[in-house]
């Protein structure tokens, strides 16, 4: 059986080979595989300049209106299998089955504290799903559209 140093080295190699964040691998976490009903935690994010979302979006270098149906995905999901989901549509489904299409415009950076299972979304996504943004976090599923 491999010792802890060998396992750490293997983890680093696998992280580099699969283009996943080394920090996520070192923590023993990675974004779950994407399926037709990928479980996630949806959070509220501000995509406009000066809001809690940070800087310009990772996908296009622009700020976006919170009135747009847009999301940021955890690092692993944004680049899963070497495929970037930037500017692609995803379907987010809330408890009860209501769903909405949203455009991926940003990354929720897992190397900077974002969990590996986050769909960080605009207020417009929450509104389309009939959810109250004051809740802050809700379990959802999502899939490529």
């Amino acid at each position: 059986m491999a010792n802890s140093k060998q396992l750490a080295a293997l983890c680093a190699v696998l992280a580099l080979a699969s283009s996943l964040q080394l920090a996520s691998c070192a923590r023993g976490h990675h974004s779950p595989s994407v399926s037709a009903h990928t479980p996630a935690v949806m959070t509220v994010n501000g995509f406009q300049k000066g809001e809690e979302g940070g800087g310009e979006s990772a996908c296009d270098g622009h700020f976006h209106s919170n009135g747009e149906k847009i999301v940021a995905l955890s690092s692993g999901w944004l680049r899963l299998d070497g495929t970037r989901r930037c500017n692609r549509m995803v379907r987010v489904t809330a408890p009860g089955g209501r769903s909405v299409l949203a455009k991926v415009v940003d990354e929720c950076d897992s190397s900077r504290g974002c969990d590996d299972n986050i769909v960080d979304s605009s207020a417009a996504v929450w509104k389309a799903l009939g959810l109250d943004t004051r809740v802050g976090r809700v379990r959802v599923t999502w899939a490529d559209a």
Side-chain angles (χ1 to χ4, degrees):
M1 176 145 208
N3 66 34
S4 62
K5 287 182 182 180
Q6 290 171 321
L7 288 174
L10 178 61
C11 185
V13 169
L14 290 173
L16 289 172
S18 63
S19 299
L20 293 175
Q21 297 289 337
L22 181 58
S24 294
C25 188
R27 287 192 320 259
H29 299 285
H30 64 284
S31 296
S33 297
V34 175
S35 67
H37 303 286
T38 307
V41 174
M42 188 171 74
T43 57
V44 181
N45 188 35
F47 292 87
Q48 297 176 160
K49 189 172 185 173
E51 292 188 326
E52 73 276 5
E56 297 97 352
S57 82
C59 293
D60 62 13
H62 295 97
F63 289 101
H64 292 269
S65 165
N66 293 324
E68 296 177 67
K69 294 176 189 133
I70 53 178
V71 299
L73 296 177
S74 294
S75 299
W77 284 335
L78 186 68
R79 295 184 295 270
L80 189 68
D81 300 328
T83 302
R84 288 187 57 88
R85 288 190 165 80
C86 279
N87 302 310
R88 294 187 182 179
M89 300 300 284
V90 294
R91 179 174 300 281
V92 180
T93 305
R98 195 171 188 177
S99 68
V100 64
L101 289 177
K103 184 177 180 181
V104 178
V105 298
D106 205 0
E107 172 182 16
C108 189
D109 192 339
S110 298
S111 71
R112 295 184 180 195
C114 183
D115 289 338
D116 296 312
N117 65 337
I118 298 296
V119 174
D120 213 4
S121 60
S122 65
V125 171
W126 283 71
K127 182 178 179 181
L129 292 171
L131 300 171
D132 184 349
T133 58
R134 293 176 293 184
V135 173
R137 298 172 67 91
V138 66
R139 293 197 179 279
V140 297
T141 60
W142 75 275
D144 293 312

